[in-house]
Amino acid sequence: MPGWLRDAIFYEIYPQSFKDTDSDGIGDLAGIIEKLDYVKSIGCNALWINPCFDSPFKDAGYDVRDYKKVAPRYGSNEDLVRLFDEAHKRHIHVLLDLVPGHTSEEHEWFLESKKAERNEYSDRYVWTKAAFQGIGGHPYIGGEADRDGCYMLNFFKCQPALNYGFGKVTEDWQLSPDDPACIATREAMKDIMRFWLDKGCDGFRVDMADSLVKEDDENKSATGAIWKNIREMLDAEYPEAAIISEWSNPNQSLKSGFHADFYLDHHGNGYNTLIRDNETPGGDHSFLKKDGNGDIMRFLSDYLPKYDSTKDYGYISFITCNHDTPRPRRTLDYHELKLAYALFLTLPGVPFIYYGDEIGMRYLDIPTKEGGYHRTGTRTPMQWDHSKNHGFSNASEDKLYLPLDPAEDAPTVADQENDPSSLLNTVKELTRIRHEHADLQADAEFEVIYAEQNEFPFVFRRGDLVIGINPSEKKATASLPKNYMKTVYKIGDIELKDASLHMQPQSFVILK
């Protein structure tokens, strides 16, 4: 386990929307470098940068045309190396986004794979043996290549699936995961990882990490074997490099070699019940919504088995949001967001803050851009101040990658930096406390002290600290195992009396 992950707080940056320095309306690597001191000021000591590689941008960069080349709109390979160097000067680690399951249809590998003549890339992608032989149960394309065959897609038409084999081979065109061609695909991913690690990258967030081997068994055994092999390479050659999976199944991902796994917003799972339970008939029952009348046991019944079975293997990562998920400001007000972030930053694991969430940027209902569709409203430009385009870019408004929040009260960094009670300054205080107290970091002990169905508060222990949260509109009380008399930090009002914690509505506390 890379030691730096224990105290890591990540900041996710969508590069095209963070800061534009060349006035073309699109964010760039120079803009990220310019704002590294801001990232540090929030208390984030690690970055995850969404794909910044050469791409036709039919899926916002998740359709990679060249894994070893920075997209010109963001800058150059030299700019990315400079970003690594400048981040490291500030003791910030940097993860890049690895997309191992598919490439762009314009990738050189695929252009070769489409050819009728056999070559070293013929089996780099999943192909049938005839142009009229489709692929049952998977999207596929036929009739667009000289090659006599159809090729499988992972998502959009522009994303042909790389070939890692089939867990259960049932057709003559399918290969097993241990076929030399499938092993060559795995080794090509290792080569890409080494290329960037050698240049100063600190690891990778891995896109759709569970989707490599097709028709895998329910435990994803064949896919897991690939990641175990890659982890062995990292342990031997880059022991401080981290890999974090988009898998949301820690029993599979962490035991397959990942250092951390995202707790994603899947309908009805524990994370969903905390802040995103607005899909349920009868209203929003999110635990962290003041009028949600939420039930902490819905979270714990999902989270605790995952935590207990994987805490010795790696970390579960809570997110404020990500580039695929509606921003939490869509349903939570500023005070509710303070409580939500307080919880995420005191639970076990490695937390991630999505750019702009620290100031409560809104989700905007806007048209799709570069394959974003419903996700587009979460990807709007960062709002820095009240200068032109909120400080994001000097380009004319019609050239901006996406529109900015048009509201008069659109949140900005400048406004909130000068307000001691702002969401931004609350986040800064929470990250400071987490860094100061080892008992709040990724692997410190975790124990539930008070949690009852349909009741408040939720109280838990991290090492020698006790954390209590009452997000409801009602007063709440819980007994403590002993007298905790020192308040390390609080939001709202609490009272300690006779080994009991009395919490006012919408309050949070860390006790020692």
Side-chain angles (χ1 to χ4, degrees), residues 266-463:
H266 292 165
H267 181 56
N269 76 355
Y271 172 78
N272 179 267
T273 70
L274 289 177
I275 63 170
R276 302 181 183 278
D277 190 22
N278 53 9
E279 300 155 333
T280 307
D284 189 339
H285 301 291
S286 299
F287 177 74
L288 292 163
K289 191 164 177 59
K290 62 186 175 186
D291 55 355
N293 296 312
D295 179 2
I296 193 62
M297 296 310 298
R298 296 175 64 211
F299 163 68
L300 291 174
S301 64
D302 182 62
Y303 172 68
L304 282 177
K306 293 174 179 176
Y307 170 77
D308 288 337
S309 63
T310 62
K311 61 185 177 182
D312 294 330
Y313 293 89
Y315 305 130
I316 295 172
S317 285
F318 286 87
I319 61 173
T320 63
C321 184
N322 66 22
H323 60 289
D324 289 333
T325 308
R327 286 191 183 272
R329 178 77 188 280
R330 189 183 197 184
T331 56
L332 303 184
D333 63 28
Y334 281 125
H335 194 82
E336 290 167 327
L337 289 173
K338 289 179 182 180
L339 297 178
Y341 298 168
L343 181 60
F344 294 156
L345 288 166
T346 52
L347 285 168
V350 181
F352 280 70
I353 297 170
Y354 183 55
Y355 83 96
D357 277 356
E358 73 276 15
I359 58 172
M361 279 178 56
R362 294 182 173 94
Y363 174 89
L364 301 185
D365 186 10
I366 55 178
T368 185
K369 174 85 170 189
E370 294 183 350
Y373 298 99
H374 66 280
R375 306 172 296 178
T376 307
T378 294
R379 302 173 175 186
T380 56
M382 183 67 176
Q383 294 157 196
W384 296 103
D385 53 40
H386 291 286
S387 64
K388 183 177 180 180
N389 298 319
H390 282 310
F392 165 67
S393 172
N394 285 322
S396 59
E397 187 176 344
D398 63 314
K399 287 187 176 180
L400 296 183
Y401 177 73
L402 286 172
L404 290 136
D405 187 345
E408 287 188 14
D409 65 346
T412 68
V413 172
D415 285 346
Q416 294 199 17
E417 281 183 330
N418 296 321
D419 176 3
S421 66
S422 69
L423 179 61
L424 175 61
N425 280 313
T426 299
V427 170
K428 289 181 178 181
E429 189 68 3
L430 286 163
T431 58
R432 180 189 65 78
I433 291 167
R434 182 183 170 99
H435 290 312
E436 285 182 0
H437 292 271
D439 283 345
L440 292 177
Q441 293 169 13
D443 58 356
E445 291 180 356
F446 169 72
E447 178 189 12
V448 174
I449 291 177
Y450 181 86
E452 296 291 339
Q453 186 174 3
N454 298 318
E455 297 290 339
F456 300 92
F458 171 40
V459 184
F460 57 95
R461 181 179 65 83
R462 299 293 316 281

Side-chain angles (χ1 to χ4, degrees), residues 56 161 381 457 483:
N483 280 321

